[in-house]
Amino acid sequence: MLILAVDSSTPVAGAAVVDEDRVIIESFTNYKKTHSETLMPTINRILRECDCTIGDIDALAVTAGPGSFTGLRIGMAAVKGISMAAKKPVVAVSTLDTLAGNIAGSNALVAALLDARKNEVYCAFYDASGIRPERLREPMACAPETFLSEARALADYEHKDKIILLGDGYYRYSDYFNTELTNRLIPIPGHLMLPRAAAAGILAAHKARQGEFADVFQLRPWYIRLSEAEYRLGKGEV
Amino acid sequence: MKDILILGIETSCDETAASIVKNGRHILSNVINSQINIHREFGGVVPEVASRKHIENIAVVVDNAFQEAGLGYNDVDAIAVTNQPGLIGALLVGVSFAKGFAWALGRPLLAVNHLHGHIYANVLEHGDISFPAVCLVVSGGHTSLLYMKDINHYKVIGETRDDAAGEAFDKVARFLGLGYPGGPAIQKAAAQGTAGKMKLPRIFLDKNDFEFSFSGLKTAAMNAWKRIEKSRELEVTDLAAEFQQALVEVLVEKSLKAAKINRVESLLMAGGVAANEHLRFLMKEKADQENIKVYYPSLALCTDNAAMIAGVAYQQYITKSYAPLELNAHPGLLSL
Ligand SMILES: [Zn+2]
């Protein structure tokens, strides 16, 4: 099963074609955030480079959040358009799951965290001892301090001595986390630190096998956060 | 010649809209999902809320446009989308969707300036407009006078120096507690009141140019309300009527002057404020005296819609002025 995966949820823009567990082609760009200009040309280019047309693709995958509100919508809108026109099903994958998908076979507590600005991170915790990350807690937006105390409590509860932090949320507060966690923290090389469209594609292939497709007419980003205006009006959760 | 079917997509503000238009003239479907009731709660359009609604609705709205026209996705020859001006986050939803849809369908993509769409709405309904013409573009974001050589060529001959007319309507309506959106709210209140019981300024600036200014009128209306609210010497409806009258008189006089000086026989109105009944009435009445013919779109095509986008893009399709996959959205106006 061929999957075209698209990620524009953070400053990284990525697209990949995966065949089940095999990565055929991947584009990863962590340079200048002009997703609206670069995303479609990138998709067009990688398909051509692997001699595919959109007709050859079996399903589309998109990172649905959390992440930059505008970035999420650029990727999701493009995928909705492609899905309708090419009549291809869509699998929505969490951006945090995608990040956690960079680690496998580790006994450490894995935390994926994205810079949510306003002194907060979007984060989720994972058991990454198997081939796919198992999410331990629902994703949330919180202060780095809250995140850290959750991480410690959860690591103790799960009897995990070591902790792995992934994502630009780590970069944003790295001094703080390094000081607080010292040698509990396992450093991770840079090519595994940010979301990879290939990882989203491989997670999506698994979801597709379970029949977990999204309804394009209903699908909306997982913002986690309300818009400022809704927040001020005292609206409930999204 | 083969019929050309164009799908238009419009998400520049708070309406998610899609439409299919044949040969730039015949509207086969015109679907609009308005968010007006959502934004009313906030007292105005909230960009992030608008963008969220667009991404939720876009697929359904586009699909409905095909169903209403009785067509399949493959039946369209091109995809047109508004890429400027407007709320950047909102525009990006339409642009990104349109790029994906056009690319996967293997059809050309056409990038449309929202204001060109508004102007073109006149042509969608009136086949007999003689050019050259003068056009008053009047909306929440713009108040401009254009000289039009034909439907595709124009130059700006005057603009507002501060608030757009629609913006003044919105701000004054909010200040008077009349609600949102301001244009219809003031029109409704004005219908119950009498203009001229008090006097607001008509700001013409230099009599000989076509520039507008509405911030002075807006401030005068607000100050008058502070006084009236206490003294109760007048009703809010009287103030609304006078405010509408003052604003409309300036629009009408400047537009007619532009038409006369440029010796055109047609005067077009475009944009959301062109839906104002008093503006339509007064413009027609005064223009009749000068033997100038006034055109404005029906109410449905005055406010934001995608039929005007699909329609105006026809010429771009014919001249093969296709947009690249790199197409971006622009909040401001690159050119009119
Ligand atoms: Zn408009």
Side-chain angles (χ1 to χ4, degrees):
Chain A
M1 180 164 59
L2 278 183
I3 292 188
L4 168 64
V6 173
D7 168 45
S8 58
S9 49
T10 72
V12 172
V17 177
V18 305
D19 185 4
E20 296 289 330
D21 211 31
R22 196 165 62 90
V23 180
I24 295 175
I25 191 164
E26 180 181 20
S27 169
F28 172 97
T29 310
N30 185 21
Y31 177 69
K32 287 187 184 172
K33 202 184 143 199
T34 49
H35 297 346
S36 99
E37 286 168 297
T38 55
L39 189 66
M40 281 310 300
T42 302
I43 291 171
N44 189 46
R45 174 176 58 79
I46 64 166
L47 282 191
R48 211 166 35 208
E49 279 178 17
C50 65
D51 299 317
C52 276
T53 66
I54 187 64
D56 301 323
I57 297 292
D58 297 298
L60 305 164
V62 64
T63 47
S68 134
F69 297 163
T70 299
L72 290 171
R73 286 189 288 262
I74 288 172
M76 188 174 283
V79 163
K80 283 188 179 199
I82 298 170
S83 159
M84 281 171 71
K87 300 189 168 43
K88 304 293 177 186
V90 173
V91 180
V93 182
S94 150
T95 314
L96 296 168
D97 291 3
T98 299
L99 264 172
N102 288 352
I103 305 292
S106 168
N107 283 319
L109 175 72
V110 170
L113 55 160
L114 295 170
D115 181 10
R117 290 183 278 187
K118 299 178 192 165
N119 292 314
E120 286 194 337
V121 291
Y122 299 119
C123 58
F125 299 100
Y126 299 85
D127 177 322
S129 54
I131 189 171
R132 268 182 300 279
E134 299 286 339
R135 204 192 291 154
L136 299 170
R137 290 276 174 83
E138 282 311 297
M140 59 181 176
C142 63
E145 294 78 13
T146 313
F147 161 80
L148 192 67
S149 66
E150 288 275 318
R152 282 190 173 123
L154 194 58
D156 292 345
Y157 178 80
E158 297 278 330
H159 303 292
K160 289 176 184 295
D161 182 37
K162 300 288 188 182
I163 296 175
I164 289 173
L165 302 184
L166 304 169
D168 63 7
Y170 165 72
Y171 286 141
R172 177 84 166 77
Y173 301 103
S174 59
D175 288 349
Y176 170 65
F177 292 136
N178 292 345
T179 311
E180 290 287 327
L181 290 169
T182 59
N183 51 13
R184 266 194 108 168
L185 198 61
I186 303 180
I188 293 298
H191 66 284
L192 298 175
M193 284 299 288
L194 297 173
R196 304 291 295 253
I202 284 171
L203 291 178
H206 178 70
K207 284 183 116 178
R209 284 193 296 273
Q210 318 285 313
E212 287 178 47
F213 293 104
D215 177 351
V216 213
F217 293 117
Q218 302 276 329
L219 183 62
R220 57 178 89 168
W222 305 327
Y223 300 105
I224 298 191
R225 251 194 208 151
L226 292 169
S227 69
E228 274 297 309
E230 290 169 306
Y231 186 75
R232 282 199 301 272
L233 265 199
K235 295 263 176 177
E237 241 336 292
V238 199
Chain B
M1 206 176 99
K2 180 189 169 294
D3 285 334
I4 300 302
L5 302 180
I6 296 180
L7 167 69
I9 295 174
E10 153 66 42
T11 63
S12 66
C13 191
D14 60 342
E15 328 270 0
T16 317
S19 161
I20 297 169
V21 172
K22 185 168 85 177
N23 299 332
R25 292 308 282 264
H26 308 288
I27 301 172
L28 304 185
S29 64
N30 189 14
V31 177
I32 301 172
N33 182 305
S34 173
Q35 307 172 5
I36 232 167
N37 291 325
I38 295 156
H39 295 286
R40 190 173 278 131
E41 273 189 78
F42 300 100
V45 176
V46 181
E48 174 60 22
V49 173
S51 303
R52 289 185 176 202
K53 285 291 150 196
H54 286 312
I55 188 71
E56 254 175 77
N57 296 331
I58 183 89
V60 177
V61 167
V62 168
D63 189 62
N64 285 348
F66 281 96
Q67 284 186 24
E68 202 178 289
L71 295 167
Y73 300 158
N74 264 304
D75 294 329
V76 292
D77 297 281
I79 318 301
V81 65
T82 306
N83 80 317
Q84 62 167 314
L87 304 170
I88 184 69
L91 286 165
L92 280 170
V93 173
V95 167
S96 303
F97 180 94
K99 287 204 278 184
F101 194 81
W103 172 80
L105 217 53
R107 298 288 189 278
L109 178 70
L110 307 165
V112 173
N113 177 320
H114 181 78
L115 293 178
H116 290 185
H118 272 305
I119 297 163
Y120 193 85
N122 282 294
V123 178
L124 272 173
E125 291 182 309
H126 311 290
D128 58 335
I129 302 174
S130 73
F131 287 94
V134 160
C135 181
L136 171 68
V137 182
V138 61
S139 70
H142 297 273
T143 307
S144 309
L145 275 167
L146 312 180
Y147 175 79
M148 307 181 63
K149 199 161 70 100
D150 56 54
I151 189 63
N152 297 306
H153 296 92
Y154 17 91
K155 83 172 188 261
V156 179
I157 54 176
E159 277 178 302
T160 179
R161 293 185 186 169
D162 39 57
D163 291 358
E167 196 181 351
F169 268 120
D170 279 342
K171 287 176 179 168
V172 169
R174 191 179 312 152
F175 196 81
L176 302 187
L178 294 174
Y180 170 86
I186 286 191
Q187 175 173 300
K188 197 172 154 208
Q192 319 287 317
T194 310
K197 281 195 186 171
M198 45 128 4
K199 201 74 182 160
L200 289 174
R202 274 70 172 153
I203 297 168
F204 288 101
L205 298 171
D206 186 343
K207 289 262 177 205
N208 296 317
D209 70 18
F210 307 119
E211 303 280 294
F212 297 98
S213 168
F214 296 110
S215 84
L217 170 62
K218 175 190 72 186
T219 309
M222 289 174 174
N223 288 339
W225 177 235
K226 285 181 207 154
R227 205 179 61 236
I228 294 166
E229 211 181 5
K230 283 199 203 92
S231 66
R232 304 214 161 245
E233 62 194 273
L234 288 174
E235 300 290 329
V236 67
T237 48
D238 296 325
L239 177 56
E242 174 64 11
F243 170 76
Q244 176 178 264
Q245 181 70 28
L247 192 146
V248 162
E249 274 181 22
V250 173
L251 289 175
V252 168
E253 184 161 331
K254 290 243 168 187
S255 302
L256 283 173
K257 182 169 271 172
K260 278 192 286 186
I261 286 179
N262 287 286
R263 295 199 183 82
V264 302
E265 290 166 12
S266 309
L267 178 58
L268 280 54
M269 293 202 284
V273 178
N276 182 280
E277 282 165 22
H278 191 58
L279 173 62
R280 287 166 176 245
F281 170 79
L282 203 67
M283 190 74 89
K284 229 182 165 74
E285 188 184 68
K286 300 276 180 197
D288 278 350
Q289 297 164 11
E290 310 280 349
N291 281 321
I292 292 168
K293 220 165 162 208
V294 174
Y295 298 90
Y296 43 75
S298 63
L299 287 179
L301 291 184
C302 252
T303 47
D304 288 352
N305 65 86
M308 66 189 195
I309 305 303
V312 76
Y314 177 71
Q315 189 62 27
Q316 283 162 255
Y317 178 82
I318 295 299
T319 57
K320 295 193 163 57
S321 310
Y322 303 155
L325 276 183
E326 286 84 358
L327 180 71
N328 209 347
H330 304 281
L333 202 53
L334 291 184
S335 63
L336 193 75

